Amino acid sequence: MNRYPLWKYLLILVVLVVGLLYALPNLYGEDPAIQISKRNAVVSAGLQSQVEAVLKKDGLRYKRIEHEGDNLLVRFYNTDTQLKAIDPIKGALGDQYVVAVNLASSTPGWLRAIGANPMYLGLDLRGGVHFLLQIDMEAAVSQVLDRDETGMRRFLMSKQLQYRAVSRVKDQVFVRFPDAATRDKAQGLLSNEYRDLVFSPVTHDGGPALSAKLSEVALKQTQQYAMEQNITTLRNRVNELGVAEPVIQRQGKDRIVVELPGVQDTARAKNILGATAGLQFRLVYNGGDAAQAAKTGNVPLGASLFRERNGQPILLQSQVILTGDYVTNASSGFEQQNNTPAVFITLDGQGASLMSAATRNNVGKLMAVVYIETKPATQMVNGKKKTVYKKTQEVINVARIQEQLGKRFQITGLDSPQQARNLALLLRAGSLAAPMNIVEERTVGPSLGKENIQQGFNSAVIGFLLVVLFMAVYYRVFGLIANLALFANVVLVVAVMSMIQATLTLPGIAGITLTVGMAVDANVLIFERIREELRNGNSPQASIHAGYDRAMATIVDSNVTTLIAAIILFAFGSGAVKGFAVTLSIGIVTSMFTAIMGTRAVVNLIYGGRRRVKKLAV
């Protein structure tokens, strides 16, 4: 009557073993570490010796140095040594390397080999920084209208239509014409070319003109694009900080929440997130000496002086062919002719037209990609801290134009496949579609995070021990079986959260503590039902069978209704509420497995093989 087939015992055993393996990494903790990566390539083999020499010179004790993918990871025994080492390493390696503080998992290699990693800790447990960024949507619209303003001039010239002036006033672009007939002709052509704009005949500055405004659909698309592009760009920028699991999510129409757990260099995080970047394509200017221009400051007419990433000066034509706003896609690979690294670019319709016109008569000449970035910096003004923005411009790539370019073309002359991948990433999502302002900044120190962990751990342990004590005293042997299932339930909750790489927060700990009580609640229902059956005069074996069988419907109903509430919390909640809902949902499922199937298996092993059971210790 009270026996399980062999496959059920094996299933429970496999689940418990897998759960133990995947919960185990959470016991190893994390090491304070410094992650070193090279901007355009993998780190060299000699870099480790260089870093070792720097640390030895300054007397900084470290645990070990290891290669992790394309990066070099330096592990330390404590946070103080880690923070002391960051500046000497940065100073020794220079700007070619990205040096970021990080917390690295101490999980052994054999566990990592099977995909067993610790669950992430949220901002309230690990410490870190929280930013609320607001996108300047007016600037996003302004950039689109500025681009269209320039494009209209070229388009009207290509159609040989006379116009007096093209100017922008706030959210409108005005095109003045010499007469109404020319205006009416231009309206049809412009409407077909610029379908996102609504053209209306007006009188502007005393003459016939066309007024162009973004349509409602185009306005919403522009704002949506700005939001999506900025989120994508932020994700790529956050990767440079070495953050384990950043939270980057939309809030409302124009705001983005960024949470960076474990980040200790908050100033660096602020600079990277608050920077505004852009891309330009320009032809290289051949009529002057760049070195002489940089030395004397005398730049030829029609040229602009820039510097490449290695510091070399270079003269580019003042006229911009197009900006990164026209790039719809970029991917890295190898060109077929010489099998060298290349980046394959795809432009939108307007970008293709501009690029084709600019390169038609410039085959064989050099074209440069300019990266423009504006970063926030703090300086003292009248005794008060003030945020100012510093603009930097550098040429990240110079390549020769092989043929007339159109919608798709490739950039060659790259040093390595890694540089090609980096450039493709930069072109695809390296620039913000609109500038952003940091409207809220909140930092949680590592010490406060440790205190939260300790308090949360203590509350969970105290609750667990009290429940264990009650069950052992009140239900005796059956209570000990329930306690065994309770421990297995906690292990499985931690294992599942580690498998799906969920983030544990303080509300998440509360959810785990709640599932401890809920898991025992199922066993209380079963044990009380067994007691009732015994009082009614049933045999011990029949009482066990009836207790589990008749309590099942009540247990399922109560757990399913709670699970529905948890799913609703996850669907409509945000932040901490989602964390609570995730742990609660996982705990409900695992508790039903351990409290029903797990305890029944142990009870069957103890009592199921005995023909005559006179008394149950329940």
Side-chain angles (χ1 to χ4, degrees), residues 575-598:
V577 176
K578 281 183 179 288
F580 175 79
V582 168
T583 53
L584 182 60
S585 301
I586 295 171
I588 290 170
V589 175
T590 56
S591 68
M592 289 183 68
F593 175 81
T594 56
I596 299 174
M597 193 170 179

Side-chain angles (χ1 to χ4, degrees), residues 362-434:
N362 292 298
V363 175
K365 295 183 180 180
L366 294 173
M367 182 176 66
V369 181
V370 183
Y371 181 56
I372 305 169
E373 189 169 37
T374 305
K375 290 184 177 181
T378 303
Q379 71 177 27
M380 299 300 293
V381 179
N382 298 326
K384 295 182 179 180
K385 288 185 178 181
K386 185 179 180 181
T387 301
V388 296
Y389 290 86
K390 294 184 178 180
K391 187 176 183 179
T392 59
Q393 301 182 100
E394 62 178 357
V395 175
I396 60 173
N397 174 257
V398 178
R400 193 168 300 280
I401 301 172
Q402 304 291 343
E403 58 185 353
Q404 181 181 353
L405 306 178
K407 187 173 184 178
R408 295 180 179 87
F409 61 94
Q410 65 184 27
I411 296 176
T412 58
L414 300 163
D415 296 331
S416 65
Q418 179 69 27
Q419 187 180 11
R421 286 193 293 270
N422 289 346
L423 181 57
L425 180 65
L426 181 64
L427 292 172
R428 188 168 57 247
S431 60
L432 294 173

Side-chain angles (χ1 to χ4, degrees), residues 299-317:
V299 180
L301 186 66
S304 298
L305 180 65
F306 291 88
R307 289 190 180 273
E308 299 183 58
R309 284 191 162 174
N310 59 9
Q312 287 290 107
I314 183 173
L315 288 174
L316 305 180
Q317 292 187 11

Side-chain angles (χ1 to χ4, degrees), residues 37-59:
S37 58
K38 198 168 185 180
R39 294 186 182 277
N40 296 319
V42 298
V43 295
S44 61
L47 181 64
Q48 181 170 340
S49 301
Q50 188 178 353
V51 173
E52 288 175 350
V54 172
L55 296 174
K56 186 177 180 181
K57 178 183 176 183
D58 288 18

Side-chain angles (χ1 to χ4, degrees), residues 155-156 161 177 181-191 210:
F155 178 76
L156 292 172
L161 287 172
F177 296 93
T182 307
R183 178 189 65 185
D184 295 341
K185 183 179 179 182
Q187 182 175 357
L189 295 173
L190 288 170
S191 297
L210 286 175

Side-chain angles (χ1 to χ4, degrees), residues 121-125 130 247 249 251 257 259 442 452 497 502-512 565-566 568-585:
L121 297 181
L123 199 68
D124 49 1
L125 298 180
H130 164 98
V247 176
Q249 60 187 18
Q251 186 178 88
V257 173
E259 290 186 354
R442 190 168 67 248
N452 289 338
M497 291 188 68
T503 301
L504 181 66
T505 60
L506 272 178
I509 293 178
I512 293 175
I568 292 173
L569 282 176
F570 182 82
F572 295 99
S574 62
V577 176
K578 281 183 179 288
F580 175 79
V582 168
T583 53
L584 182 60
S585 301

Side-chain angles (χ1 to χ4, degrees), residues 47 105 107 137-138 164 184 264 347 365 425 483 488 586:
L47 181 64
S105 172
T107 305
M137 288 300 183
E138 290 185 3
R164 293 278 175 85
D184 295 341
Q264 295 152 303
L347 301 174
K365 295 183 180 180
L425 180 65
N483 291 337
I586 295 171

Side-chain angles (χ1 to χ4, degrees), residues 229 232 327-332 421 423-430:
Q229 177 73 2
T232 302
V327 176
T328 59
N329 192 25
S331 60
S332 61
R421 286 193 293 270
L423 181 57
L425 180 65
L426 181 64
L427 292 172
R428 188 168 57 247

